[in-house]
């Protein structure tokens, strides 16, 4: 969901968080590199960096700023709200082994999917050749579309307004009306599929994962290249394996 923020926002805080995110995304940046990426003066960027260093969110080695381990510890505290690492890894690994393809568990926050854990067999890993990303859109991923289908349409519209419908492949749905039509169809079943909507030649099936109160915490998906998996097998075999895996994750959250 997109949080409804109505109070005052601080541009300085937003600027610091933007710098922190860039450093994390690039696994370290120098002041000179940040100066080419951030729309602020070098002195202002330096002030933000000093604040983040003093707050222990960054470390500096040989002129390169990197995210500190303290940030990882904060993230670990957030992970306690979700299934344990052992449960997630076991369920996702079993799903990947059962299908012979790549399986992912993602967390649903602020209208995006955040990678929690991914696994694939050697066969699936070699064939896919896709690097794991840290964040994903909802409109062109199997788990994301399944999650959207369960949300109120006003909330879906809010997510679309905030993040847009960027095209990442020829099959990506970039029209809101088409997306809503697809979501209406998905709502009649327990899962969603994508057919070359996230990346060329890739298909996948996904479903939401709920906590004990029925709230969506994330999504589980599995899929692979079309020359290894066809749509019939995806919806008949993979969907059953997927829903069994979702049931296992939800049992750990209940």
């Amino acid at each position: 969901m997109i949080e409804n923020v109505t109070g005052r926002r601080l541009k300085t805080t937003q600027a610091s968080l933007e710098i922190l995110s860039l450093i994390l995304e690039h696994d370290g940046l120098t002041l000179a590199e940040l100066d080419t990426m951030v729309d602020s003066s070098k002195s202002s960027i330096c002030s933000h960096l000093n604040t983040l260093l003093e707050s222990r969110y960054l470390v500096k080695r040989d002129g390169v700023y990197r995210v500190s381990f303290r940030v990882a510890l904060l993230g670990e505290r957030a992970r306690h709200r979700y299934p344990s690492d052992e449960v997630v890894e076991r369920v996702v690994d079993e799903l990947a082994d059962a299908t012979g393809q790549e399986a992912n568990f993602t967390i649903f926050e602020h209208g995006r999917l955040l990678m929690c854990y991914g696994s694939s067999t050697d066969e699936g890993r070699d064939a896919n050749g896709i690097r794991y990303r840290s964040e994903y859109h909802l409109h062109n991923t199997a788990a994301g579309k399944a999650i959207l289908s369960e949300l109120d349409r006003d909330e879906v519209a809010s997510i679309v307004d905030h993040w847009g419908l960027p095209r990442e492949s020829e099959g990506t749905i970039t029209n809101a009306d088409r997306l809503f039509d697809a979501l209406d169809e998905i709502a009649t079943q327990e899962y969603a599929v994508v057919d070359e909507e996230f990346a060329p030649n890739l298909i996948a099936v996904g479903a939401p994962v709920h906590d004990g109160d029925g709230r969506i915490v994330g999504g589980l998906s599995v899929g692979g290249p079309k020359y290894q998996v066809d749509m019939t097998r995806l919806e008949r075999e993979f969907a059953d394996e997927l829903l069994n895996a979702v049931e296992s994750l939800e049992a750990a959250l209940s």
Side-chain angles (χ1 to χ4, degrees):
M1 62 180 291
I2 298 294
E3 301 295 340
N4 184 22
V5 180
T6 57
R8 179 169 171 255
R9 302 170 181 83
L10 293 176
K11 291 183 178 180
T12 52
T13 304
Q14 290 177 327
S16 292
L17 292 174
E18 178 189 358
I19 289 170
L20 184 65
S21 296
L22 284 170
I23 291 171
L24 179 61
E25 179 182 348
H26 292 273
D27 195 24
L29 290 169
T30 65
L31 175 58
E33 289 170 330
L34 283 164
D35 189 35
T36 66
M37 300 177 181
V38 180
D39 186 20
S40 296
S41 66
K42 183 174 287 188
S43 62
S44 178
I45 296 171
C46 190
S47 295
H48 288 293
L49 290 170
N50 288 336
T51 301
L52 290 167
L53 278 169
E54 186 176 350
S55 301
R56 297 187 292 134
Y57 293 122
L58 293 180
V59 293
K60 184 180 179 182
R61 300 281 190 278
D62 300 323
V64 179
Y65 296 88
R66 288 189 168 85
V67 174
S68 71
F69 188 73
R70 182 168 185 255
V71 175
L73 294 178
L74 294 174
E76 282 301 313
R77 293 189 179 186
R79 289 179 71 100
H80 292 328
R81 301 195 306 269
Y82 303 103
S84 68
D85 290 346
E86 293 79 9
V87 172
V88 169
E89 291 177 15
R90 174 180 59 79
V91 170
V92 175
D93 286 345
E94 288 176 354
L95 180 58
D97 289 341
T99 59
Q101 298 299 329
E102 180 182 315
N104 298 313
F105 176 61
T106 46
I107 300 298
F108 174 50
E109 282 186 349
H110 296 285
R112 297 272 276 180
L113 291 178
L114 309 179
M115 172 62 76
C116 179
Y117 181 73
S119 178
S120 65
T121 62
D122 290 339
E123 179 184 10
R125 186 180 302 112
D126 293 341
N128 292 343
I130 299 296
R131 292 182 60 190
Y132 291 138
R133 297 183 345 197
S134 59
E135 293 191 26
Y136 299 85
H137 288 284
L138 299 180
H139 71 289
N140 67 334
T141 55
K145 287 171 68 177
I147 288 171
L148 287 174
S149 74
E150 290 196 1
L151 301 180
D152 293 335
R153 292 302 178 253
D154 286 344
E155 188 170 353
V156 176
S158 177
I159 291 172
V160 171
D161 287 343
H162 187 84
W163 294 109
L165 298 171
R167 181 182 297 280
E168 294 191 312
S169 183
E170 284 299 314
T172 303
I173 296 175
T174 58
N175 176 274
D177 290 336
R178 281 190 59 207
L179 177 63
F180 278 100
D181 288 343
L183 297 181
D184 288 340
E185 183 176 343
I186 294 168
T188 65
Q189 53 196 29
E190 296 179 273
Y191 59 84
V193 298
V194 288
D195 184 357
E196 299 191 81
E197 296 169 49
F198 171 68
N201 194 45
L202 291 180
I203 59 175
V205 58
V209 175
H210 307 82
D211 65 15
D213 296 321
R215 292 172 296 200
I216 299 171
V217 297
L220 190 63
S221 62
V222 62
K226 296 181 79 170
Y227 59 82
Q228 287 187 353
V229 185
D230 59 36
M231 293 297 292
T232 300
R233 185 181 174 208
L234 187 81
E235 295 201 59
R236 289 184 180 175
E237 297 179 25
F238 284 25
D240 286 342
E241 297 287 354
L242 171 75
L243 295 176
N244 288 335
V246 167
E247 191 174 307
S248 296
L249 283 180
E250 292 182 340
L253 284 166
S254 60

